[in-house]
Amino acid sequence: MDRIIYLDHAATTYTKPEVLKEMLPYFTEIYGNPSSVHSYGRETRKALDLARERTAKALNADPAEIIFTSGGTEADNLAIIGTATANKKKGNHIITSSIEHPAALHSCQYLEKNGFQVTYLPVDEYGLIDPQDVKEAIKENTILISIMTANNEIGTIQPVREIGAIAKEKGVLFHTDAVQAVGSIPNDVRDMNIDLLTLSAHKSHGPKGVGALYARKGVRLNHISHGGAQERNRRAGTENLPAIVGLGKAIELATQDIEARNEKLRALRDRLISGILSSVEYTRLNGHPTKRLAGNSNFSFEFIEGEALLLSLDMKGIAASSGSACTSGTLDPSHVLLAIGLPHEIAHGSLRLTLGDENTEEEIDYVLEVLPQIVQRLREMSPLFNQDKGGKIYV
Amino acid sequence: MYSEKVMDHFMNPRNVGEIKDADGIGEVGNARCGDIMKVYIKVENDIITDVKFKTFGCGAAIATSSISTELIKGKSIDEALKITNKSVAEALDGLPPVKMHCSMLAEDCIKAAIEDYRKKHLKTEVNTSAKESVE
């Protein structure tokens, strides 16, 4: 292979040329402030409205329900902290899961430090949340349920519709972080009883640094940053117009032909999964075998560490990611892998390969050719390998 | 983020393996934290004549293991004991700040192997002298 095989689409994607093309005039030619009254302002206001319409359409929402933010992280913060503080008089209890993205988890932890109570629901071995657990966790003072649509590490897709129905029945707000899901599975906020939904542009071939929060009409939401009256007084600050234009276009493209794209992705993913599981012993697939994002695969290779694996793959021209402590910048491996019951040492040896539209069968076959050799080389260096050879694989 | 030297020692690690009749063995770290290093040394006349290692860990852990075995091979025990995490990191043209603890692993492991050798060696010496005095 003379080029780099990019298998880290869950981290970010390239901006599609047609998306960039729509963005470019808003840097140099059409640069008015959408809040201005004059013609410059009116022109950018039009672009802002179009992006809002496109985003709303992708979710079956109303344009007035879309709030543009600086990305998924800000949207999660706004959804969780904004609704919790606005509904404080109703109660102070929040339900979330133990496998949320740090943007949601840390927002909940921040609220805990400020007098809120948070229930972190467990998941099963596949990373699935049991809707019954959500139901049983609801108390009189519960004001918000925040459960991600699909997990960023292991790709498991949650029973969002069931959770939405429970939330509606109990009169509790339901937020879902759909950053990984938008463009991969349909997200109909009306049909699924979703009150708040987080999305991001750069996971779906849009630019980085822009995202959106859908907040159903009537949901009380406090500011988390203070200043102007932009975004119907829900998010202060001059709009990042070129990025928002890019988001609108990217989301529009990403939510078209989902099934056709998924079919291709699933075939590649399953070729990769079965190839790795059959050629590398002491390996497991993390996440659900079928209820997972079409482009996601996540493995644990026993006796070796994930960063060493990433460096070795990088030397062979393959870009991937891992949930090992060494790649997270903390001493603990991924909280998601620990939550599905993996012991620390197995969690350290994880590898996430996430596929995108441009990946080919030839690329997958190249990965299947070099990965077993890399794992073998690292295992031969590992003091754990011989000790445990013939031992039981953790499943 | 890694120097060329780190990548070289990671991709082509020196002295990987085990020594069956090692004079000293050191093992530090634990799987929970994501790094374990095991070092085997062979000592003749107070000189480390051979050294091998096995490491479970990240790129920096493998590279520091490799370079530390090079640093002590052919050295006297006293010289080998002068190894520090700083000298390990310097020999690799530096490590990223978050990876400095990996060089601690190498220093601790070399010292553990030498300590193991001294314990065994001291015992043999005592036994030999005890035998001699009986004779």
Side-chain angles (χ1 to χ4, degrees):
Chain A
M1 287 277 155
D2 49 3
R3 66 182 192 91
I4 291 172
I5 299 177
Y6 187 75
L7 292 174
D8 204 10
H9 290 84
T12 194
T13 59
Y14 70 91
T15 301
K16 281 196 172 163
E18 56 266 56
V19 173
L20 179 67
K21 199 180 156 203
E22 288 211 14
M23 292 169 64
L24 287 176
Y26 295 94
F27 286 102
T28 49
E29 298 156 38
I30 315 168
Y31 56 84
N33 187 325
S35 300
S36 298
V37 173
H38 48 64
S39 60
Y40 280 77
R42 285 198 301 274
E43 210 169 344
T44 47
R45 167 67 57 186
K46 249 191 271 171
L48 188 62
D49 289 345
L50 176 63
R52 206 183 299 284
E53 276 162 33
R54 284 169 163 172
T55 310
K57 198 178 162 207
L59 303 172
N60 191 23
D62 191 88
E65 295 173 319
I66 303 298
I67 306 162
F68 292 118
T69 66
S70 63
T73 295
E74 190 195 332
D76 275 351
N77 274 260
L78 178 58
I80 295 168
I81 298 169
T83 54
T85 54
N87 292 279
K88 214 160 55 181
K89 277 185 188 156
K90 277 193 199 161
N92 66 343
H93 178 235
I94 296 159
I95 298 168
T96 187
S97 86
S98 50
I99 62 161
E100 295 301 307
H101 188 276
L105 277 183
H106 293 179
S107 293
C108 288
Q109 285 160 10
Y110 165 79
L111 288 171
E112 266 183 306
K113 281 187 204 143
N114 287 280
F116 287 84
Q117 298 166 4
V118 181
T119 300
Y120 299 92
L121 294 177
V123 292
D124 71 7
E125 61 190 299
Y126 301 116
L128 275 173
I129 287 148
D130 185 348
Q132 194 57 35
D133 286 350
V134 177
K135 200 169 191 172
E136 283 165 15
I138 296 173
K139 303 190 282 190
E140 283 221 330
N141 59 343
T142 306
I143 49 173
L144 177 69
I145 298 166
S146 179
I147 304 279
M148 70 201 318
T149 304
N151 185 265
N152 49 312
E153 294 185 35
I154 57 174
T156 301
I157 300 167
Q158 301 299 342
V160 171
R161 184 185 303 274
E162 286 86 336
I163 297 167
I166 291 165
K168 193 183 181 190
E169 182 199 322
K170 300 279 184 180
V172 178
L173 289 175
F174 176 38
H175 165 246
T176 189
D177 177 338
V179 164
Q180 296 287 336
V182 169
S184 188
I185 53 175
N187 295 275
D188 184 323
V189 292
R190 296 268 174 271
D191 187 40
M192 294 162 106
N193 292 308
I194 296 166
D195 296 305
L196 300 122
L197 180 145
T198 294
L199 65 85
S200 168
H202 74 105
K203 309 287 187 186
S204 311
H205 298 289
K208 291 163 187 65
V210 64
L213 178 68
Y214 149 80
R216 187 178 50 75
K217 255 178 226 156
V219 169
R220 287 165 56 91
L221 200 60
N222 275 350
H223 274 252
I224 55 167
S225 62
H226 305 273
Q230 290 87 351
E231 299 299 288
R232 291 174 182 258
N233 212 10
R234 291 170 299 185
R235 198 267 184 180
T238 299
E239 299 85 349
N240 182 0
L241 200 74
I244 290 170
V245 167
L247 179 143
K249 185 65 182 170
I251 297 300
E252 183 185 68
L253 292 173
T255 47
Q256 287 167 2
D257 311 321
I258 286 183
E259 204 28 59
R261 257 184 295 126
N262 278 353
E263 208 173 304
K264 189 201 152 199
L265 282 177
R266 263 196 296 267
L268 288 179
R269 178 200 71 189
D270 292 345
R271 185 184 186 90
L272 183 65
I273 291 174
S274 61
I276 288 175
L277 294 181
S278 64
S279 65
V280 188
E281 55 178 356
Y282 308 114
T283 300
R284 54 165 277 142
L285 175 72
N286 297 316
H288 197 279
T290 55
K291 290 175 190 167
R292 72 185 306 137
L293 294 172
N296 173 288
S297 68
N298 189 308
F299 306 91
S300 281
F301 300 95
E302 282 196 73
F303 321 117
I304 60 173
E305 192 277 337
E307 193 228 37
L309 201 51
L310 295 187
L311 287 174
S312 307
L313 285 165
D314 188 43
M315 297 298 282
K316 293 279 184 187
I318 300 167
S321 74
S322 168
S324 87
C326 266
T327 55
S328 70
T330 67
L331 286 175
D332 283 317
S334 142
H335 67 288
V336 177
L337 298 178
L338 296 179
I340 61 171
L342 295 193
H344 277 68
E345 55 269 38
I346 312 276
H348 282 297
S350 80
L351 176 71
R352 181 183 72 175
L353 300 171
T354 45
L355 287 70
D357 298 352
E358 78 279 10
N359 290 128
T360 63
E361 214 168 82
E362 190 198 358
E363 290 179 335
I364 300 303
D365 290 345
Y366 174 72
V367 174
L368 292 176
E369 186 192 315
V370 302
L371 183 65
Q373 299 162 14
I374 288 170
V375 172
Q376 186 59 27
R377 185 183 89 89
L378 293 172
R379 281 181 176 169
E380 276 164 10
M381 270 193 261
S382 169
L384 299 173
F385 188 43
N386 284 330
Q387 277 174 21
D388 289 350
K389 206 166 185 179
K392 195 173 154 283
I393 179 167
Y394 179 88
V395 279
Chain B
M1 82 181 198
Y2 286 134
S3 70
E4 267 176 46
K5 211 151 181 194
V6 172
M7 285 311 290
D8 176 37
H9 276 267
F10 168 65
M11 290 307 286
N12 311 292
R14 288 40 150 189
N15 306 310
V16 176
E18 294 169 8
I19 299 174
K20 287 251 147 57
D21 55 344
D23 295 315
I25 300 174
E27 184 173 348
V28 297
N30 69 66
R32 201 182 148 82
C33 300
D35 45 22
I36 301 177
M37 181 178 175
K38 200 167 177 180
V39 164
Y40 304 76
I41 53 171
K42 197 79 193 143
V43 183
E44 271 169 48
N45 299 324
D46 211 43
I47 302 288
I48 298 172
T49 55
D50 198 11
V51 50
K52 297 269 189 229
F53 82 91
K54 281 205 163 183
T55 291
F56 160 79
C58 64
I62 290 169
T64 50
S65 302
S66 168
I67 194 106
S68 65
T69 61
E70 272 200 332
L71 289 175
I72 64 160
K73 200 169 176 175
K75 299 278 167 66
S76 70
I77 291 290
D78 282 343
E79 272 178 293
L81 279 172
K82 286 182 190 151
I83 195 169
T84 64
N85 73 315
K86 230 181 132 193
S87 64
V88 170
E90 274 167 11
L92 286 169
D93 295 338
L95 281 171
V98 292
K99 297 289 184 177
M100 280 306 287
H101 71 275
C102 297
S103 55
M104 282 302 300
L105 191 77
E107 178 193 333
D108 290 350
C109 197
I110 298 291
K111 288 181 174 164
I114 291 173
E115 197 179 320
D116 182 55
Y117 159 74
R118 280 189 161 166
K119 253 192 240 158
K120 284 179 188 163
H121 188 68
L122 211 60
K123 234 183 255 168
T124 330
E125 253 178 21
V126 171
N127 286 348
T128 324
S129 49
K131 231 192 230 168
E132 274 166 4
S133 66
V134 172
E135 275 171 8

